[in-house]
Amino acid sequence: MICPHCQTDLLQRNRPGHRCSHCGKTFALDPKVEPGRLHDSKFRELVAKGTGGTLKITVEQLYWLNERRLHRFPDATERQGTVAAGVALTVVAVVAGAIAAGIGSFVWFLLGPVALIAAAFALQQFVGSRRLKSESPLAPTVRRNEFQRAVIDRWRAVYGTLPSGLLEHPPTTAGPSTVKARAVVLCEVPSVAAFLRANDFPERQQVLLVTELAKVPDELPVVVLRNLSLVALERTVAIRAKLHGRLVVDAGLAPRAVFAPAKAVRLRDAPRRTVPWTLAASPGWQRLTEQERDWLTDGWDCPLITLPPAKLLALAEKAVERAVQRAVAPVPVQETPAQTRRRAERIGFLSWPAAPPAGGTG
């Protein structure tokens, strides 16, 4: 790694106790010691990438940025196994089994397990050759609390403060605002709401940001920011039912948006579930493809906070604009049959031409 102070390339033996042997100064992170494989320069680069020079991001967002950095996202055609590997392992299993059976019982104890293990791995390769590697969930390399303790706390202990733009304690409640709201953003994900508040989203977009359904005021259009999961979709249907008659815009992602080759955090922590009847009957669920429905019922999810900060902010901004435009769009008036007939008569629609008056000149 490079010393962040004197820019000297340090081998493991040249940085004992987080101290540079050339300049004698202490640094915060050693990729061989701290989890997350971060050093001081990479830590600052990651913060700069997340903020883009203008945004404020939370520690949780930085954690997911690092997990995305460490994860190798497969493309849409990559498989978990190959037929060639399956055939090769099958040959090994057959040869080992044949030799063991032909020589005797003593050799069977040696080659028998080899044959069985090779056969098991061959089966795994054959099955994996039909399964896309993109179906594999992201497995976090570091626990969230461990990242806080070993990386964030360590950085603050050495440098005193975190890099500019990185917030350890983002605002959890909304301050007083004099802006007249044009929409309501309901976000029941506290970490996402905190990120939006930290970047003055409510003031810039002229919206009221709330984290509870009970705090949604009357009349204004509502934007729902949610995670991508079966539970979150079910909750959105319940919110629509509670706000019956109101304009509700679902600002969450669809499963197709996170399928490979999209570099999205795909997790799988929940067991397979059945679809609640309220969700199954909703128009949004019926618009999903069979692949998307299977993905959700298999327990997959994509937390909203795992999106790159700039994309998350853009998602919320576009949803607000969509809600406001739909709210001010003129509502078509349903005319009566008599009004339709009179309007058709005025423009001569489906009417015969009138006969010329009697006695007219030809």
Side-chain angles (χ1 to χ4, degrees), residues 260-334:
K263 293 183 178 181
V265 174
R266 296 177 283 268
L267 306 177
R268 193 179 185 184
D269 299 327
R272 183 174 179 84
R273 291 187 54 199
T274 56
V275 183
W277 70 268
T278 52
L279 176 58
S282 67
W285 180 262
Q286 294 172 4
R287 283 194 295 267
L288 296 177
T289 64
E290 184 177 356
Q291 181 186 8
E292 290 177 300
R293 296 175 191 173
D294 289 342
W295 189 86
L296 289 164
T297 54
D298 277 345
W300 290 85
D301 71 282
C302 177
L304 206 57
I305 196 65
T306 64
L307 268 64
K311 289 187 177 181
L312 175 55
L313 188 61
L315 175 73
E317 290 173 345
K318 290 178 181 178
V320 169
E321 293 303 321
R322 193 162 67 247
V324 172
Q325 290 174 5
R326 288 178 57 182
V328 300
V331 180
V333 179
Q334 187 70 30

Side-chain angles (χ1 to χ4, degrees), residues 58-282:
T58 66
V59 169
E60 186 173 358
Q61 288 176 299
L62 184 70
Y63 165 78
W64 284 112
L65 283 170
N66 194 52
E67 288 297 327
R68 292 168 61 92
R69 178 182 74 90
L70 298 176
H71 182 71
R72 190 185 70 82
F73 289 96
D75 60 38
T77 60
E78 209 168 335
R79 304 280 172 172
Q80 291 182 328
T82 63
V83 175
V87 171
L89 287 169
T90 301
V91 171
V92 172
V94 170
V95 170
I99 293 174
I103 294 179
S105 58
F106 176 75
V107 178
W108 175 254
F109 284 105
L110 298 177
L111 294 181
V114 174
L116 293 176
I117 293 173
F121 277 112
L123 180 61
Q124 185 181 48
Q125 288 293 319
F126 284 127
V127 173
S129 66
R130 302 182 60 185
R131 184 178 298 145
L132 291 176
K133 197 168 185 178
S134 57
E135 295 176 4
S136 300
L138 183 148
T141 58
V142 186
R143 292 192 299 273
R144 173 70 179 81
N145 59 349
E146 187 180 6
F147 185 83
Q148 172 70 41
R149 177 190 59 78
V151 178
I152 302 300
D153 294 349
R154 169 69 188 170
W155 183 278
R156 194 167 56 292
V158 173
Y159 294 108
T161 59
L162 297 178
S164 177
L166 178 61
L167 302 178
E168 188 173 7
H169 303 291
T172 56
T173 57
S177 176
T178 58
V179 176
K180 183 179 180 181
R182 55 182 184 152
V184 181
V185 175
L186 173 59
C187 179
E188 296 180 324
V189 186
S191 57
V192 175
F195 163 70
L196 294 177
R197 288 196 187 99
N199 289 279
D200 300 322
F201 176 81
E203 290 75 16
R204 290 188 298 100
Q205 292 295 315
Q206 296 180 307
V207 298
L208 178 64
L209 177 61
V210 298
T211 56
E212 300 175 21
L213 179 58
K215 295 182 179 179
V216 175
D218 297 333
E219 298 181 357
L220 290 173
V222 179
V223 175
V224 179
L225 276 175
R226 57 159 176 81
N227 292 326
L228 175 56
S229 68
L230 196 66
V231 172
L233 289 178
E234 184 182 358
R235 175 60 181 163
T236 304
V237 171
I239 291 172
R240 284 187 182 277
K242 289 284 187 179
L243 301 176
H244 181 68
R246 301 275 297 277
L247 173 61
V248 178
V249 174
D250 183 0
L253 297 172
R256 68 179 72 93
V258 303
F259 287 165
K263 293 183 178 181
V265 174
R266 296 177 283 268
L267 306 177
R268 193 179 185 184
D269 299 327
R272 183 174 179 84
R273 291 187 54 199
T274 56
V275 183
W277 70 268
T278 52
L279 176 58
S282 67

